[in-house]
Amino acid sequence: MSRRGGGGRRPDSCSDQPAQAPAPSFQRGGGEAAGPPGRGHQGQRGGTGGGSHSGSGAAPSSSHAASTSTAQAPSSPSVSASAPSSSSVSTLVDETEQKLTLAAPAAATLPPSSSQAMRLPVRPGLGTVGRKCVVRANHFMVQLAERDIHHYDVSITPEVTSKKINRQIISQLINLYRLTHLGERMPAYDGMKSIYTAGPLPFESKEFIITLPDSDPRPSSSTRPRRERQFRVVIRLASKPDLYTLQQFLLRRHFEAPYEVIQVLDVVLRAAPSEKHTVVGRSFFSTDLGPMGQLGDGVEYWRGYFQSLRPTQMGLSLNIDVSACSFYEPILVTEFVQKYCRDLSHPLSDEVRLKVEEALKGIKVVLTHVEYNRSYKITGISSQPMSQLMFIDDNGTRMSVIQYFLEKSNIALQFTSLPAVLAGSEARPIYLPMELSRIVAGQRYTKRFNERQVTALLRATCQRPREREENIRMMTRANAYNDDTLVNREFGIQVADVLTLVDARILPAPMKMFNGGRVEVWTCVNFSTDLDPDVPFQFCQGLVDVCNSKGMVFNPRPVIPISSSNPNQIEKALVDVHNRTTQQGKQLQLLIIILPDDKGSYGRIKRVCETELGIVSQCCQPKQASKLSMQYFENVALKINVKVGGRNTVLVDAVQKRIPLVTDRPTIIFGADVTHPQRGEDSSPSIAAVVASMDWPEVTKYRGLVSAQARHEEIIQDLYKSIQDPQRGLVHGGMIRELLIAFNRSTNRKPESIIFYRDGVSEGQFSQVLLHEMNAIRLACASLEEGYAPPVTFVVVQKRHHTRLFPADHNRRDLTDRSGNILPGTVFDTHICHPTEFDFYLNSHAGIQGTSRPTHYHVLYDENRFSADDFQVLTNNLFPPAYYAHLAAFRARYYIEDETSAGGSTGGSRSTADRNLAIRPLPVIKDNVKDVMFYC
C-alpha cells in the first residue's frame, strides 16, 4: 500500500508493544384488451396500485441499542474513585454541548452570527509550505444579478407523492396563468412544496384549479369516457430570501451560510435538467447524455452528471462531475430470465426460480399486447408454471391462464413452462405472462452488484484525467445554463464555461524508514486443489526470503509442516493447525493461507481465525501464489510486516520528535469510520470501527476495535458507554476508553493530546456527529481520571465528494505523475474552499488508474490550535488513520456475512421498526489479534 507509488495502498504501521503496567493515573473502572388472468375473489378482477378496475389487460384475480465486539465493561471489584458520578457526567454533557454550540473560536474577531448555531473553527491563516503550482478544479464560477427573490409554499390537493406528477401540475399552471395571474413571472419549482420567483407575484395567497388527463392509459369508449383529474393548488407567500445575506457571507462579513438562498439558486439551476432527465439524488442521468453499456444480468448503465452549488472563497461555484448509474434494461421478462437460465422450454429449478424472483421484485413492467402502457409492479413470480395456473373468471368459470389469453387476446403463449409474473396483492394476484411483459425503461437498479457487474462498471467509467476533464467540459457546454430562460433571463444567473484555476502547493515527501517485524512461529495451509503439490513450499520459501531481504527477521522453518487440506473442511483444518501448534506449547504468530480456488471462503476463514482461534493470518490467492512473482512477494511481505509488529514506514521527523503538537507531548491519533450495508443487504447492521495509535512518538501502530449498530446510523454509538451495576455501581466502557487504556499500557504514558480523524460524515451531519462524539470523548477521558480532559482536534475526512483536480498543463511532467494525475502531496486551502472555516483538499497518494480524488479535510474542533501548515503537513505525512478504520470495519463485515446473506437481499425499503431492532453483537476479536494490525 504505497504512499507514493502507483501500486496499491501499503499498510504503514502495526501492532502494540508488549503490555506494560498502566500508569497510576489510569485506574480501570468499572402489478380491456385481454390481459393476464388471476385467481379472483368471487370472480372479481384484481387491480394494482390504484385499486380495482375492469378490462385491465391483466389476468383477473381470485432496539436501536448498539452492540459491540469490544471488551465489555471492566469487571474490577470497584470503580475508580476518580471516575465521574452520574451527576457529574450530566454536568459534563451540558458543559461540552454548551462549549461546542455557543463558545466562539479562538480568533479574536468573528463575523456576526444571527443565531446560536454551532460555530466551527475559523481558518487559522493559509498554508505556505510546499512548491507552488496551479491546478484546475471542476468548479464553475457563478455570477448573480440583483433579484427580489420570493419563496411561496405550494399545496396540492389531493396530495401527490410523485415529483413527476407534481411538476406536470405546476407546469400546466404556469402555461395557463403565467401572463395573467402570475404577473408574467416564471417560477422555479422544487417538485415538492416550494416555488421561487425573481420578484413578487401579484398576490400573497391564491387558489388555482388545474386539470390533467386521466392517468388510466386505456382508450376511452362509450362505456368508459375519458376522465380528467382535477387538483386544487394553493400558493401562499412564505418568505423573502435575501441575496444580500449571501453576498455578505461570501465577503466573510457574516458567519452563517444562508442555505435558504443557496437552495433557491440550486432549485433554479436544477429545474430544466429535472424535466429532461432521470434524477438520482443530486445527479441527472439519461440515454442522451452519453453511450450506455451492459453490466450483465439484465442491468445497464447510463451516463450523466452530478451538479451542486457551493459557497467558496471566490464566490458561488457550480461543482459538475461526470457520473454513471445502473438501470434495468427495458427488455422482455423472458429475455431477463435468460440471463439466469438459457433454456426456457423447461420449468425453472427452485434455485433459479428464487434467484429470478429476487431479481424481479419491485420492477415495473408493461404489457406488450395492448395499446396502452399501464404499468404493473412485480411482487413475485408464481411457484407453478403457467401451464398449471388456473383462476375463476368474472362469470365464475374456472379456466387456465393459457386459455384466457388464447380466448381474450388470440395469443398462444409459447413459454408455458415458465412461472407467471405476479402483480397486485397477495389476496388478489394478477398473472402476467413473462413473454408479454416488458420492463419499463428508466428504473434504477438498487440491488447489490455481483463481482462481474462491479468490474464492468469500473471498466466502463474509469477515465484518465485528460479524458474526464474534457467530458466535464462537454457536459457543461451541453447544459447551456446561460441560454436557459429561467436561469439567465428570469433569475439573472450566469455560469462560467471554464474550469476554475486554483493555486495549490506540492508538499515535500516525508523522510521514512522501515522497521522490520519478527516471525518465529508460523506455518502454511493450502486449500487450493489446482496447484502443483510443490507450489505451496516454493511459495513460502520465496516469501520468507523476500521478508528477510526487506529487513524482517523471519524463521525459515515452519513450526509444523506446510500442509494441504480439503477446501470443504476449512474450519476443521484451521482448528487442527491451531491444536497442533498449541500442543507444542507455542503461540502461532502467523498462518499463511492459500485460498480455495472457488471464491466465497475468505470471510469464513477470517472469522474463524480472528474471533474463534486467535490466529493472525495472511490469505493469498492461488493464481497469484502459483506465479511466484517477486512483486507479489513484496506486496504480501508488507502486509505481513504490519501484522507481526513491524512498521512499513516510520517518519524520521517522528523519531527525532520534530512534528509540532504531536511529538512534543504524548499524542494519540484516532481514526473512525462507519460502514453501512451494501445496497440490497436488508438484514445487515452498520459497523463502526475506531483505531488508535499505540506507539509514541512514531504514531504508526494502530489498534482497531469494531462495533455493530443500527442500520444507517451514522453516529458511533459505542465510543463511550456506562452501565449501572447493582454491585459495582457505575461501570464505564466503550471504544475510546479501551483504546486510551491500551495506549497507556503500551507507552506507559497517558495521552496529553488527541487528534480524531472521522471519516464518512456529510456536511448536513457535522453538528450532530460533533456534539455526540465529542461528548463521548470527554466522558471517556473523565471516566479514567478526574479532571482528565486532553485537548482534542476533531477533523472530518471526506472522500465521497465530486471535486476533481486536473493539471493546469497535462504535458508538464513536473506537475503530473505517470497516470496523468496531479502529484501526491498536492494541497490547497484557497479559492474553492470554505469562505471562513478551516478546511483543505489534499491529494496524498499517487494515482493508480482513473482520476485521483483528493481528500477533503474539514476541522470541526481544534483545541490544539494547529496552524494550517502544521496540520496539512502532519495529515500528508500520516498514513490516513480513517482508512485504517475503514479497513477494520470492512473486515468485521466478513464476520457476519454468512448470517446476513441467509436473510436474502430484496433491495426494498424496510420499516423504521425493522431498522431499530436490537443488533446482534459482532463476534469478539481475540485479544492477541487486536494487539496487531490484523485488518491490513
Side-chain angles (χ1 to χ4, degrees):
M1 298 200 180
S2 172
R3 289 278 326 267
R4 300 296 175 188
R9 294 181 127 166
R10 172 188 301 170
D12 78 58
S13 50
C14 177
S15 75
D16 290 59
Q17 298 288 349
Q20 300 180 35
S25 58
F26 270 15
Q27 302 176 49
R28 295 197 64 163
E32 205 134 63
R39 234 175 0 245
H41 174 63
Q42 297 181 347
Q44 294 179 352
R45 294 179 184 266
T48 74
S52 63
H53 58 280
S54 62
S56 68
S61 72
S62 38
S63 136
H64 195 71
S67 301
T68 177
S69 72
T70 64
Q72 301 301 310
S75 57
S76 52
S78 62
V79 180
S80 167
S82 62
S85 65
S86 58
S87 60
S88 64
V89 167
S90 176
T91 301
L92 183 58
V93 171
D94 293 340
E95 289 176 351
T96 303
E97 183 168 354
Q98 183 180 31
K99 186 173 183 180
L100 288 171
T101 55
L102 304 181
T109 59
L110 275 177
S113 173
S114 63
S115 70
Q116 293 183 342
M118 177 177 294
R119 297 179 179 179
L120 301 183
V122 294
R123 190 182 306 283
L126 297 174
T128 60
V129 172
R131 176 164 60 96
K132 293 182 178 180
C133 66
V134 177
V135 297
R136 285 195 180 92
N138 58 337
H139 285 242
F140 298 81
M141 302 316 298
V142 175
Q143 299 297 323
L144 304 176
E146 286 292 334
R147 291 293 188 271
D148 185 13
I149 295 177
H150 283 59
H151 170 207
Y152 294 84
D153 283 336
V154 177
S155 172
I156 301 177
T157 308
E159 186 175 356
V160 180
T161 58
S162 167
K163 284 188 177 183
K164 182 178 179 181
I165 301 300
N166 281 337
R167 291 185 187 280
Q168 291 175 0
I169 295 169
I170 300 302
S171 179
Q172 179 79 320
L173 188 153
I174 295 172
N175 289 337
L176 290 173
Y177 301 114
R178 179 189 173 196
L179 299 179
T180 55
H181 298 305
L182 299 183
E184 300 188 9
R185 297 288 180 198
M186 182 180 288
Y189 179 48
D190 70 352
M192 297 180 291
K193 301 288 187 180
S194 297
I195 64 172
Y196 303 97
T197 59
L201 295 176
F203 57 82
E204 288 197 358
S205 179
K206 194 171 185 64
E207 177 180 318
F208 299 85
I209 302 299
I210 304 297
T211 59
L212 290 182
D214 191 353
S215 60
D216 189 334
R218 292 173 295 164
S220 60
S221 66
S222 59
T223 59
R224 196 194 63 79
R226 170 70 71 187
R227 296 180 301 174
E228 291 184 328
R229 292 174 295 162
Q230 196 171 83
F231 298 93
R232 174 175 171 267
V233 181
V234 177
I235 299 177
R236 293 188 179 91
L237 178 64
S239 64
K240 298 179 181 181
D242 192 354
L243 283 175
Y244 178 77
T245 60
L246 175 61
Q247 179 190 50
Q248 294 300 298
F249 174 74
L250 295 174
L251 291 173
R252 305 170 205 177
R253 296 172 184 167
H254 196 277
F255 186 71
E256 295 174 27
Y259 287 111
E260 183 185 12
V261 181
I262 297 173
Q263 168 73 7
V264 176
L265 304 175
D266 189 58
V267 169
V268 174
L269 289 164
R270 294 174 61 84
S274 294
E275 298 280 352
K276 297 186 293 185
H277 308 312
T278 298
V279 182
V280 179
R282 290 190 168 273
S283 298
F284 305 95
F285 300 94
S286 171
T287 56
D288 300 328
L289 293 175
M292 301 181 299
Q294 305 302 313
L295 296 179
D297 293 346
V299 183
E300 63 186 10
Y301 66 85
W302 295 3
R303 296 191 186 275
Y305 64 95
F306 167 90
Q307 171 181 305
S308 177
L309 191 65
R310 303 183 61 80
T312 72
Q313 294 175 25
M314 296 180 65
L316 285 179
S317 81
L318 191 63
N319 180 203
I320 300 176
D321 191 23
V322 291
S323 187
C325 188
S326 57
F327 294 86
Y328 287 96
E329 291 186 65
I331 57 179
L332 289 173
V333 174
T334 44
E335 297 175 295
F336 187 90
V337 174
Q338 278 189 305
K339 310 286 185 179
Y340 297 85
C341 178
R342 292 186 176 276
D343 184 6
L344 303 185
S345 62
H346 295 88
L348 301 178
S349 67
D350 288 343
E351 180 182 0
V352 172
R353 186 180 64 80
L354 289 172
K355 284 184 179 180
V356 169
E357 181 173 49
E358 187 65 36
L360 288 174
K361 267 186 182 178
I363 299 178
K364 292 180 180 179
V365 295
V366 293
L367 296 173
T368 60
H369 70 294
V370 294
E371 295 179 358
Y372 52 90
N373 290 324
R374 173 176 182 167
S375 66
Y376 299 84
K377 186 175 182 178
I378 298 177
T379 59
I381 62 176
S382 63
S383 57
Q384 296 174 300
M386 280 192 300
S387 59
Q388 299 177 21
L389 285 175
M390 306 292 291
F391 71 100
I392 299 174
D393 69 6
D394 292 342
N395 299 318
T397 304
R398 182 177 172 83
M399 67 189 306
S400 70
V401 172
I402 296 174
Q403 181 185 1
Y404 175 87
F405 280 96
L406 185 60
E407 293 182 4
K408 299 291 184 179
S409 299
N410 195 29
I411 296 175
L413 298 174
Q414 297 179 353
F415 301 102
T416 58
S417 295
L418 293 177
V421 167
L422 297 179
S425 64
E426 187 174 349
R428 299 163 62 91
I430 300 173
Y431 299 119
L432 310 173
M434 290 184 172
E435 62 198 85
L436 300 180
S437 304
R438 179 178 295 277
I439 297 171
V440 176
Q443 296 182 81
R444 187 184 174 198
Y445 180 81
T446 59
K447 299 178 182 177
R448 185 175 183 177
F449 285 139
N450 57 40
E451 289 189 13
R452 288 182 293 105
Q453 290 171 325
V454 171
T455 301
L457 185 60
L458 290 175
R459 185 181 298 120
T461 58
C462 181
Q463 299 174 344
R464 289 296 191 188
R466 190 190 297 263
E467 179 186 7
R468 191 182 194 103
E469 181 181 351
E470 183 55 32
N471 286 337
I472 292 173
R473 293 179 194 273
M474 292 172 58
M475 193 73 75
T476 305
R477 286 196 294 264
N479 290 340
Y481 299 101
N482 297 338
D483 295 331
D484 186 303
T485 301
L486 179 69
V487 172
N488 187 269
R489 191 175 306 171
E490 187 76 13
F491 280 86
I493 301 173
Q494 286 192 320
V495 181
D497 58 0
V498 294
L499 283 78
T500 299
L501 290 173
V502 178
D503 292 331
R505 294 165 285 117
I506 303 172
L507 298 176
M511 295 291 293
K512 296 183 178 182
M513 304 184 300
F514 180 89
N515 179 208
R518 191 178 193 93
V519 181
E520 291 289 346
V521 185
W522 70 279
T523 191
C524 172
V525 60
N526 167 46
F527 291 110
S528 171
T529 58
D530 289 348
L531 293 180
D532 184 282
D534 292 333
V535 168
F537 300 92
Q538 296 169 348
F539 176 76
C540 288
Q541 181 179 346
L543 181 59
V544 169
D545 289 344
V546 168
C547 286
N548 283 319
S549 70
K550 291 293 182 182
M552 296 177 61
V553 177
F554 205 121
N555 180 4
R557 298 180 63 86
V559 63
I560 59 174
I562 295 170
S563 61
S564 294
S565 297
N566 188 334
N568 296 318
Q569 297 181 337
I570 289 176
E571 289 92 340
K572 181 177 180 297
L574 294 174
V575 170
D576 181 62
V577 168
H578 178 260
N579 291 340
R580 291 170 61 193
T581 305
T582 304
Q583 288 168 3
Q584 295 189 20
K586 296 181 179 180
Q587 173 75 44
L588 191 64
Q589 279 183 275
L590 177 70
L591 178 60
I592 299 170
I593 299 173
I594 300 179
L595 293 168
D597 305 296
D598 295 330
K599 296 180 180 179
S601 59
Y602 179 85
R604 191 163 18 123
I605 289 172
K606 289 299 184 181
R607 174 177 54 78
V608 172
C609 285
E610 296 168 0
T611 70
E612 296 179 15
L613 302 177
I615 294 176
V616 176
S617 61
Q618 178 58 53
C619 293
C620 305
Q621 293 289 348
K623 288 183 180 180
Q624 296 294 336
S626 64
K627 295 176 183 178
L628 303 177
S629 160
M630 183 60 66
Q631 181 178 354
Y632 187 65
F633 284 147
E634 291 178 347
N635 288 340
V636 174
L638 290 171
K639 289 176 175 287
I640 289 175
N641 188 48
V642 298
K643 291 179 180 180
V644 298
R647 299 179 176 96
N648 288 343
T649 55
V650 180
L651 297 173
V652 172
D653 283 347
V655 175
Q656 298 177 355
K657 295 191 175 184
R658 296 187 310 199
I659 304 179
L661 301 176
V662 174
T663 57
D664 52 0
R665 56 186 173 183
T667 300
I668 185 170
I669 299 181
F670 287 89
D673 190 20
V674 178
T675 65
H676 302 292
Q678 295 186 36
R679 56 203 224 164
E681 290 186 349
D682 286 346
S683 57
S684 298
S686 291
I687 295 179
V690 181
V691 302
S693 57
M694 292 290 112
D695 54 344
W696 179 84
E698 296 91 346
V699 291
T700 54
K701 297 183 179 182
Y702 286 80
R703 183 182 179 93
L705 302 177
V706 292
S707 171
Q709 58 187 45
R711 290 169 52 80
H712 303 305
E713 172 60 68
E714 183 56 51
I715 294 175
I716 301 177
Q717 300 296 303
D718 195 30
L719 290 180
Y720 168 78
K721 62 183 180 182
S722 62
I723 58 172
Q724 192 70 40
D725 184 89
Q727 282 78 39
R728 295 177 288 149
L730 188 63
V731 181
H732 307 276
M735 294 189 283
I736 296 292
R737 177 185 170 90
E738 181 175 341
L739 290 167
L740 289 171
I741 292 172
F743 179 94
N744 178 237
R745 286 177 171 170
S746 176
T747 65
N748 206 30
R749 305 286 296 269
K750 67 176 182 180
E752 295 178 20
S753 177
I754 294 175
I755 302 173
F756 197 91
Y757 286 91
R758 177 62 159 90
D759 200 358
V761 181
S762 65
E763 292 178 15
Q765 298 169 316
F766 279 4
S767 298
Q768 187 181 15
V769 169
L770 179 60
L771 281 171
H772 179 94
E773 298 184 3
M774 270 300 302
N775 263 338
I777 294 170
R778 288 282 186 244
L779 291 170
C781 291
S783 73
L784 292 166
E785 179 179 302
E786 184 177 5
Y788 177 53
V792 179
T793 295
F794 192 108
V795 58
V796 166
V797 182
Q798 296 177 310
K799 289 287 286 184
R800 294 183 179 181
H801 59 79
H802 286 267
T803 293
R804 297 294 186 273
L805 304 177
F806 307 96
D809 184 348
H810 288 277
N811 297 316
R812 284 190 56 179
R813 298 304 178 193
D814 62 328
L815 297 178
T816 62
D817 62 17
R818 289 181 299 174
S819 68
N821 280 288
I822 60 173
L823 291 172
T826 300
V827 64
F828 69 87
D829 51 12
T830 60
H831 294 78
I832 63 170
C833 289
H834 195 278
T836 61
E837 295 170 5
F838 189 3
D839 72 326
F840 59 93
Y841 287 86
L842 172 65
N843 185 67
S844 57
H845 297 86
I848 301 175
Q849 57 182 351
T851 304
S852 296
R853 188 200 313 253
T855 302
H856 183 215
Y857 295 89
H858 204 130
V859 179
L860 304 191
Y861 200 66
D862 185 25
E863 291 178 320
N864 288 299
R865 310 256 183 123
F866 274 97
S867 70
D869 280 327
D870 285 345
F871 197 70
Q872 290 168 12
V873 171
L874 169 66
T875 302
N876 183 58
N877 291 351
L878 291 174
F879 188 92
Y883 182 66
Y884 283 145
H886 173 78
L887 292 178
F890 192 75
R891 171 61 58 80
R893 193 162 296 283
Y894 278 118
Y895 299 158
I896 58 174
E897 64 177 3
D898 291 337
E899 300 172 8
T900 57
S901 61
S905 303
T906 67
S909 62
R910 294 171 66 92
S911 68
T912 301
D914 287 339
R915 292 195 300 269
N916 290 342
L917 291 175
I919 304 302
R920 180 182 300 180
L922 293 173
V924 177
I925 302 169
K926 296 295 184 180
D927 286 338
N928 68 300
V929 177
K930 283 195 290 189
D931 283 342
V932 299
M933 296 176 69
F934 65 95
Y935 47 82
C936 290

